[in-house]
Amino acid sequence: MGKSAAKQLITVLGASGLVGTAVTRELADRPVRLRLVGRRATAVPRGALAEIDVRQVDLREPGAVAAAVDGADVVIHLVAQISGASTWRVAATDPVAERVNVGLVHDIVEALRRQRPEKPPLVLLAGSMSQVGRATSARIDGSEPDRPLTTYDLQKMAAERAITAADAEGVLRGATLRLATLYSGGLDATDLDRGVVSAMMRRAFAGQPLTMWHDGTVNRDLLCVDDAARAFVAALDAPEAVTGGSWLIGTSVATSIAELFTTISKVVAATTGDQPVPVLSVPPAEHSVPTDLLDFVVDPSAFRRATGWVPRVALLDGLDRLATAFARDSAPGAD
C-alpha cells in the first residue's frame, strides 16, 4: 500500500471523451495512478502499467468534483458541454453549458481550497484557440488580447481566468492549453469525434456532398488529438515551465477549408474505391457563429520552447488513418 501511495495520482476529468481517451492512452504506460472520470464508460488500454481507477459519474452532482480531485497530484480537466452532434456551439441561454464549462472549474478550485493539499496540485485546463476572437495577424502567438465572439469562447475565457486566479492565490498550479481544431487520428472509436473533420468524413462515406459555408478560403490549424494528448503530457512533465500561463497548441500549418474538404473527399474515395464526392459552397446555416468565417492558425513556438513538444502527425497521414478507422467501424460485424 505504501508503494502505491507514493505513485503520482493523476485525475483525468472527461476521460471518456475524444481528448480524454487519447490522454489516457498516453499516460497508461507510466507507473502512476490514474483516476479516470467520465459520464460514459471509459476505455482502458490493454496491458496498462498504470494503476487505473475508473469512475463513471456526472460531475454536476454535489460533491462529485471534490471526490474526483481528492488527493490528486495532477488534474487534467477536459470536460466541455457543446450543442449539436458535430459542432462546438453553445447557446447563450444554455444553463447546462454554463454549469459544465465554467461551474466545474469553480468546483475544482473550491474543492482544492477546502482540501488544502500540502503541495498545490497541477491543474491543466483544455482551452480553445478561438478564445482570442478576431485575430489581427496570420498566426495567433499568444500576445493578442482576448475578445471572444461566441458564448463557448466566453465560457472558456471565464474558466481560464478562474484557474489563473487560483494559481495566483496558491490554491493550485494552473495552466491552460488552448487547442487548435482537433480531429481523431483513428486510434479511438470514431463516434467520439464530433468535429468538422469527422462530420465531413461521415458525409463522404455516405456519398453526400461536402458543404462549405463560404468560399473555402477560411484557414484552420488542424491538430490530431494524439498530438494534443502528447501536449498535455509534455505540460505535466514540465510544471514549472508552464504554470501560470496559457499556451497555444497547434501545428502552425494553415489549411483552407476548401483544401481540407477536397482532401477528405479524395482520401475517402481512395478508401472506398468510389468517385470523390463534390465539395460545394452554400449559404451559412442559421446556427453558424462569427468564428466560422475567421482564420484560426496558431504559433505554438512558446510551448515548444517551454516543453520540447512538437506535433508529429501530418494532416494527410491523420486523414488516411481516420478514413481507415471509419471503414473499420462501419464494416459488417464491427463492434
Side-chain angles (χ1 to χ4, degrees):
M1 181 175 177
K3 188 174 182 180
S4 175
K7 293 181 179 179
Q8 185 182 48
L9 173 58
I10 303 171
T11 289
V12 181
L13 303 179
S16 58
L18 179 66
V19 183
T21 301
V23 168
T24 296
R25 187 169 55 247
E26 286 294 312
L27 293 173
D29 288 335
R30 294 189 167 203
V32 299
R33 291 178 293 155
L34 286 182
R35 183 181 293 158
L36 306 178
V37 184
R39 291 190 66 184
R40 301 182 300 272
T42 298
V44 176
R46 294 179 180 177
L49 178 61
E51 298 176 17
I52 297 179
D53 170 20
V54 177
R55 302 186 182 185
Q56 189 171 351
V57 299
D58 184 344
L59 289 171
R60 295 174 297 174
E61 294 297 323
V65 168
V69 304
D70 185 31
D73 300 296
V74 178
V75 177
I76 301 178
H77 184 49
L78 307 171
V79 183
Q81 173 69 25
I82 61 175
S83 302
S86 61
T87 54
W88 289 92
R89 304 176 198 284
V90 170
T93 56
D94 184 352
V96 175
E98 179 74 18
R99 173 73 184 97
V100 172
N101 296 338
V102 183
L104 293 186
V105 172
H106 287 289
D107 288 353
I108 293 171
V109 172
E110 291 308 310
L112 296 178
R113 183 179 283 119
R114 288 194 303 270
Q115 292 169 10
R116 294 181 177 275
E118 182 177 344
K119 182 177 182 180
L122 176 66
V123 177
L124 300 176
L125 174 68
S128 171
M129 66 174 176
S130 57
Q131 180 179 314
V132 70
R134 195 177 300 275
T136 57
S137 58
R139 282 171 177 74
I140 306 165
D141 65 10
S143 64
E144 306 84 358
D146 287 333
R147 297 189 177 95
L149 297 174
T150 70
T151 299
Y152 179 75
D153 288 322
L154 282 166
Q155 291 172 353
K156 281 296 185 183
M157 182 176 71
E160 181 177 302
R161 288 181 173 178
I163 293 293
T164 301
D167 177 270
E169 185 184 344
V171 174
L172 51 81
R173 297 170 296 149
T176 301
L177 273 56
R178 297 188 181 187
L179 304 174
T181 301
L182 294 175
Y183 68 94
S184 170
L187 295 179
D188 309 303
T190 51
D191 61 356
L192 291 177
D193 188 351
R194 295 186 286 176
V196 64
V197 172
S198 283
M200 292 301 110
M201 195 162 281
R202 288 187 186 94
R203 290 180 65 92
F205 269 99
Q208 300 171 350
L210 309 188
T211 53
M212 306 179 296
W213 293 347
H214 39 65
D215 62 2
T217 58
V218 171
N219 289 317
R220 285 292 185 268
D221 190 331
L222 296 151
L223 179 69
C224 181
V225 71
D226 303 314
D227 281 330
R230 295 183 191 105
F232 278 99
V233 174
L236 184 157
D237 288 340
E240 301 305 321
V242 302
T243 294
S246 62
W247 305 89
L248 290 162
I249 311 298
T251 67
S252 196
V253 176
T255 302
S256 73
I257 295 299
E259 179 186 356
L260 171 64
F261 286 14
T262 300
T263 303
I264 290 173
S265 178
K266 292 178 179 178
V267 166
V268 171
T271 303
T272 63
D274 298 329
Q275 289 297 312
V277 298
V279 177
L280 307 176
S281 180
V282 300
E286 289 185 5
H287 60 271
S288 64
V289 294
T291 49
D292 289 327
L293 301 180
L294 300 178
D295 294 342
F296 286 104
V297 183
V298 307
D299 175 1
S301 57
F303 188 72
R304 182 181 68 245
R305 290 192 297 269
T307 66
W309 173 89
V310 293
R312 299 179 188 172
V313 183
L315 179 59
L316 184 56
D317 292 339
L319 294 178
D320 282 336
R321 283 166 37 184
L322 184 55
T324 300
F326 267 101
R328 174 201 68 207
D329 291 350
S330 62
D335 293 334

